[in-house]
Amino acid sequence: QVQLVESGGGLVQAGESLRLSCAASGRTLSSYIVAWFRQGPGKEREFVASIIPNGRGTDYADPVKGRFTISRDIAGTANLQLNSLKPDDTALYYCAAGATSRWSQSPTAYSYWGQGTQVTVSS
């Protein structure tokens, strides 16, 4: 069983940056694909970014390309750097982990989920 905990959310102004982190307990994240999803007020959960275990493959949703960067470190923590934030980025951000055979933008491909960390961007 993998338990995920997100951190790093907060309230910022448009144009500012945040760095989200996802740590695991129970089992290392090193062998899993890690993804970030978000769910804004009144919206469905949507894919943000994902990264494969060796860190050499990443995928991003179009709205965040060029502004967000996903990475992972040797300890297995996965990070999401959020730059040039916009009010539309306001959402609860979730970390998810899944098997490497199911690299996908669909939430159904991920077996483990954190509780989320809130990002609020004011205009």
Side-chain angles (χ1 to χ4, degrees):
Q1 188 75 7
V2 178
Q3 296 167 334
L4 304 178
V5 178
E6 303 95 336
S7 61
L11 171 63
V12 297
Q13 293 187 333
E16 294 184 340
S17 299
L18 282 173
R19 184 175 179 84
L20 309 183
S21 293
C22 175
S25 61
R27 191 179 292 182
T28 178
L29 278 179
S30 60
S31 62
Y32 292 91
I33 293 173
V34 177
W36 288 91
F37 289 79
R38 67 185 182 185
Q39 188 164 13
K43 300 180 181 179
E44 294 187 355
R45 189 171 300 191
E46 64 176 358
F47 171 80
V48 176
S50 62
I51 187 168
I52 63 175
N54 64 13
R56 295 177 182 173
T58 58
D59 185 26
Y60 294 93
D62 287 343
V64 308
K65 283 181 180 176
R67 299 188 299 122
F68 292 8
T69 303
I70 190 170
S71 63
R72 60 197 307 166
D73 60 29
I74 297 175
T77 300
N79 304 297
L80 186 67
Q81 179 69 35
L82 289 64
N83 295 332
S84 303
L85 282 161
K86 305 175 182 179
D88 282 350
D89 295 319
T90 294
L92 189 60
Y93 283 71
Y94 296 92
C95 175
T100 55
S101 60
R102 302 191 66 192
W103 193 12
S104 169
Q105 295 187 357
S106 171
T108 60
Y110 298 88
S111 302
Y112 305 105
W113 291 81
Q115 295 298 308
T117 184
Q118 180 68 39
V119 172
T120 303
V121 185
S122 63
S123 57

